[in-house]
Amino acid sequence: MISVPTCFFVTDGEHYVPTPLARGPWGPSLSGNYIGGLLGRAVEREVDDDLDMQPARLTVDLLRPVALQPVQLHSSVVRDGRRLRLVDAVMTQNDVMVARASALFLRRCEQTVDRVWTSPVTMPAVPAEPDELADDLPMVLRSYGRDPVEGSPGVGVTEWRHDGQKFAWLRETKLLVDDEPLSPFTRAVMAADVTSSLTHWGTAGLQFINADYTVTLSRLPEGVYIGLASVTHYSHAGVATGVAALFDEAGPIGSGLATALANPGFTPPPSMVST
């Protein structure tokens, strides 16, 4: 019997070695959510000594396909002020930069009581846990759209193939690095990569591949489930931008933003079509 990894990367000195689970849906390369997860983990380590700092924004630039080979991470504090800290991180492979991230951390303070308008979004209920999980399933994902109440397990191949609003609830089933527990921030960063698929999926399926994604957080998520609701999609001449609202089981926590290029041919991995 072949042993299935329990994580997406194992450390080897200064290198992060991807396991087979880290392969993405666009070919023999790393999935963007695991690239973002590693970069998010790197920037978070630059502020883990200050519990009052809220990770408010992370932008991940996916500069080129990342082969299923070891990568290295380098992070640095760009600005360290009384109320904010700006952190950059770079991912390299064979001495070539393949992805980068910029993160903004803001110091928490007293909340105002003023009411401010926001677009109302109602998420479907958090799904029940599956009775069984396949060993090679990287995440539990339930998609909603055509059926906004019950939805369907797996990537929304049919649920999202329409011109209405789309939703998803997901949780990771594996660890990111070795046996290290996922932090709430890393969990949110990895989930936010789904923004592109959710917001850019249309009546003909997914016709765009994202070049970056951004996650903004007013607070850290509670629990293991992260929800996404599509809010906008705009596209012209092969360039698209999409925004999703992010949720945990207690309510909204922030937003995801993804810019993308026209690129037909998406085929989700069989393990992510249904659970």
Side-chain angles (χ1 to χ4, degrees):
M1 179 179 294
I2 299 176
S3 177
V4 177
T6 59
C7 60
F8 299 111
F9 297 92
V10 294
T11 54
D12 181 11
E14 295 183 352
H15 291 85
Y16 296 86
V17 182
T19 68
L21 291 175
R23 177 173 174 154
W26 292 97
S29 56
L30 291 181
S31 183
N33 57 327
Y34 309 133
I35 294 171
L38 278 185
L39 289 164
R41 176 180 177 271
V43 300
E44 188 175 30
R45 289 181 157 217
E46 295 288 352
V47 296
D48 59 5
D49 61 337
D50 193 336
L51 297 178
D52 287 335
M53 281 290 186
Q54 160 71 28
R57 189 264 304 159
L58 176 78
T59 296
V60 176
D61 290 312
L62 304 168
L63 304 178
R64 63 188 70 214
V66 184
L68 293 167
Q69 298 173 9
V71 296
Q72 286 186 297
L73 276 295
H74 308 275
S75 59
S76 61
V77 176
V78 178
R79 171 80 166 88
D80 193 5
R82 184 174 63 87
R83 303 190 66 188
L84 65 83
R85 187 173 300 176
L86 189 64
V87 183
D88 283 356
V90 171
M91 176 182 289
T92 60
Q93 188 172 70
N94 299 321
D95 297 324
V96 175
M97 183 168 62
V98 293
R100 66 182 183 182
S102 172
L104 176 66
F105 293 77
L106 299 177
R107 190 166 301 282
R108 299 180 180 95
C109 59
E110 184 177 356
Q111 171 72 13
T112 63
V113 295
D114 292 345
R115 297 179 63 180
V116 181
W117 181 89
T118 187
S119 179
V121 177
T122 302
M123 284 291 295
V126 176
E129 279 289 288
D131 294 332
E132 295 184 13
L133 292 177
D135 288 342
D136 62 346
L137 187 71
M139 71 172 67
V140 172
L141 190 153
R142 195 166 190 90
S143 55
Y144 305 80
R146 291 186 180 277
D147 184 343
V149 177
E150 295 297 328
S152 300
V155 171
V157 175
T158 57
E159 287 287 349
W160 296 344
R161 196 162 182 161
H162 68 119
D163 59 358
Q165 193 171 20
K166 306 163 185 69
F167 307 87
W169 280 107
L170 62 95
R171 74 164 177 85
E172 300 295 334
T173 65
K174 306 293 183 180
L175 303 173
L176 181 62
V177 177
D178 297 332
D179 59 355
E180 180 183 302
L182 284 176
S183 73
F185 176 58
T186 302
R187 188 180 296 278
V189 169
M190 293 170 68
D193 179 64
V194 178
T195 297
S196 183
S197 298
L198 186 75
T199 61
H200 300 323
W201 207 300
T203 55
L206 183 57
Q207 304 292 311
F208 297 90
I209 183 171
N210 60 315
D212 74 356
Y213 75 92
T214 295
V215 55
T216 66
L217 296 171
S218 61
R219 64 175 176 86
L220 290 172
E222 302 173 7
V224 297
Y225 272 94
I226 305 291
L228 297 95
S230 63
V231 177
T232 63
H233 165 90
Y234 305 113
S235 56
H236 179 76
V239 176
T241 178
V243 173
L246 303 183
F247 289 77
D248 65 5
E249 297 184 49
I253 60 173
S255 301
L257 166 68
T259 53
L261 290 165
N263 193 77
F266 173 81
T267 302
S271 64
M272 289 306 300
V273 173
S274 62
T275 58

